[in-house]
Amino acid sequence: MTEDPTPAAAEQPHGPAASTGPTDPADSTGPTDPTAPAGPGAVPESAPRRQRADARRNLDSLLEAAKAVFITSGVDAPAKEIADLAGVGVGTLYRHFPQRSDLVKAVFQREVDACVAAGPALSANHAPGTALTEWIDRYTEFLATKRGLATALHSGDPALEALPAYFMERVGPTLGALLDAAAASGEIRADVTPRDLLLAVAGLCAPVDHEGAAFSRRMVAFLMDGLRYGAVPPEPRG
Amino acid sequence: MTEDPTPAAAEQPHGPAASTGPTDPADSTGPTDPTAPAGPGAVPESAPRRQRADARRNLDSLLEAAKAVFITSGVDAPAKEIADLAGVGVGTLYRHFPQRSDLVKAVFQREVDACVAAGPALSANHAPGTALTEWIDRYTEFLATKRGLATALHSGDPALEALPAYFMERVGPTLGALLDAAAASGEIRADVTPRDLLLAVAGLCAPVDHEGAAFSRRMVAFLMDGLRYGAVPPEPRG
DNA sequence: AACCTAAGCGGAAAGCTATTCCGGAACTAT
DNA sequence: ATAGTTCCGGAATAGCTTTCCGCTTAGGTT
């Protein structure tokens, strides 16, 4: 039961938040250097043989195939379809990504990180309220154009239940900062958490998918207006 | 292969809208007239033998079982679970409800109709904006407390794709009237369609399910505030 | 260059669920 | 009671996911 998942996507302490170190995407040669190439006086007797070259190649093929298939068939496309396109057996796919959410995370990590990274720049160049709106727009665009991603975020499927937590952990801090700033400047109400918005936006992006992202954008815009409404009541009394 | 689906829930012309004639709920003797009820000059010699008593009994058992299972396991519980609880074989379930959406429709028809029926009373006793809000609250409560219903409304599952259309057709007219009135009185913006709201509310109710309806209520409230914001800009210029 | 070893591979097998099919049981009218 | 249907139940079929395991082969060793 309590095994250790997290295959390709290693674990992160908590969150680099708005920092610049986005957690190496589908990182390959990255920090995945377990066996110390030449440890000074490191434990000698453990040379796990490294990782084989073909294994890395297959992993890359899988990521590329998954990216393509996710676009054409959505994130819940049959595993076989992805494996076939990658030219490997399903066994290989499952060894690299025991949970489907691992694959989804790996495929979108780059884009999620880009969203996160955009936060600081927005706060620096815009008023808090504008920064928040622009960021949400970007996030909405991301979710709404990834067939099935938004739905996957609250599908209930056990193989995907790690996704919401992942998103929360990843973009939570950034969004939190934007929200706090906007609330502090009085541009939006203060009783909204990052979690609220993340879930709400995901919900509003889900129905769409094949309807065009236009619907999602409009609805999210309404929601954001709602946040403003709470902060600036049209009839300030006494 | 183009058979005729729509088992228990026969088809409706269009929509009694806010009318009082809600389309007989788990209606039995109702419009379940398969081969021409009594065509004027239709083939006379056809006394369809009525419907067998045990068949009706099984159908009732199924509806009751489904209602119970939907609460405990959500609307996407295994068909077998429902059939077992009803004490019938799965074949029987599928004969009565060829599409899963047929079963879902039949189970919730009563409540959906109640929502629809509440529309006129609300408009009669409240200001347009209030009536709209109250109605949406009620609708939200309904969706948010039916495990999996909101998700089912845009799951993409082919067996459920008839649901959104059904809801749209059923509650669309009522919501449309409420929206029009509220827009006419200047309480909300005018560029929102019943479809928009129905889908958006469903989306906002979906993530929740097992989180309590509180989240859904809050988010929907934000959305409604957003509609007001558009109609009553906080800083009327010019 | 030949050899060894275990990392890694592929696809068959096992497990689920949905959906269809059909022989036979049960009901209704006569 | 009998005939004629309607219905039932569950076995059979089909599509997926996920696991397992013998064979292949990369890559270090001699």
Side-chain angles (χ1 to χ4, degrees), chain A:
Chain A
M1 311 322 180
T2 44
E3 290 122 341
D4 175 315
T6 59
E11 57 190 63
Q12 292 78 229
H14 215 192
S19 171
T20 337
T23 63
D24 31 289
D27 133 66
S28 8
T29 348
T32 321
D33 58 327
T35 52
V43 231
E45 54 138 357
S46 67
R49 274 243 189 189
R50 261 330 185 340
Q51 177 189 43
R52 262 166 54 171
D54 56 340
R56 157 104 18 93
R57 224 177 305 126
N58 280 334
L59 193 151
D60 287 342
S61 295
L62 278 169
L63 281 175
E64 201 163 336
K67 186 151 82 176
V69 170
F70 283 176
I71 291 174
T72 60
S73 309
V75 302
D76 48 2
K80 181 119 199 315
E81 192 178 337
I82 298 172
D84 284 351
L85 182 58
V88 305
V90 288
T92 301
L93 186 159
Y94 276 94
R95 190 162 342 86
H96 284 298
F97 306 99
Q99 299 282 326
R100 173 180 235 98
S101 63
D102 296 323
L103 182 52
V104 176
K105 283 196 291 193
V107 168
F108 294 121
Q109 204 168 50
R110 227 181 288 267
E111 293 184 73
V112 172
D113 286 339
C115 254
V116 169
L122 286 174
S123 336
N125 302 319
H126 300 276
T130 310
L132 174 64
T133 304
E134 298 252 322
W135 190 87
I136 286 289
D137 282 351
R138 175 165 185 165
Y139 184 68
T140 301
E141 191 68 25
F142 167 59
L143 273 194
T145 54
K146 299 300 174 289
R147 225 185 164 69
L149 214 206
T151 300
L153 280 176
H154 45 74
S155 65
D157 182 335
L160 290 169
E161 67 185 7
L163 267 191
Y166 170 74
F167 268 70
M168 209 63 75
E169 186 176 299
R170 196 68 115 194
V171 305
T174 295
L175 178 54
L178 289 165
L179 276 174
D180 288 347
S185 74
E187 292 177 75
I188 65 162
R189 53 198 306 159
D191 59 347
V192 188
T193 68
R195 182 155 208 279
D196 287 342
L197 257 187
L198 252 21
L199 285 175
V201 170
L204 291 175
C205 288
V208 194
D209 270 25
H210 58 102
E211 261 203 59
F215 173 86
S216 299
R217 281 195 223 98
R218 286 206 309 133
M219 293 306 121
V220 170
F222 287 162
L223 187 74
M224 296 307 289
D225 279 347
L227 302 192
R228 292 197 190 85
Y229 182 87
V232 188
E235 296 176 54
R237 58 196 173 83

Side-chain angles (χ1 to χ4, degrees), chain B residues 17-50:
Chain B
S19 172
T20 339
T23 67
D24 30 293
D27 129 67
S28 357
T29 348
T32 322
D33 52 337
T35 46
V43 237
E45 52 137 355
S46 66
R49 273 244 186 184
R50 267 323 182 356

Side-chain angles (χ1 to χ4, degrees), chain B residues 50-69:
Chain B
R50 267 323 182 356
Q51 175 188 41
R52 255 166 61 171
D54 56 340
R56 154 101 23 84
R57 223 177 305 127
N58 281 334
L59 193 151
D60 286 343
S61 296
L62 278 169
L63 280 176
E64 201 163 337
K67 186 151 81 175
V69 170

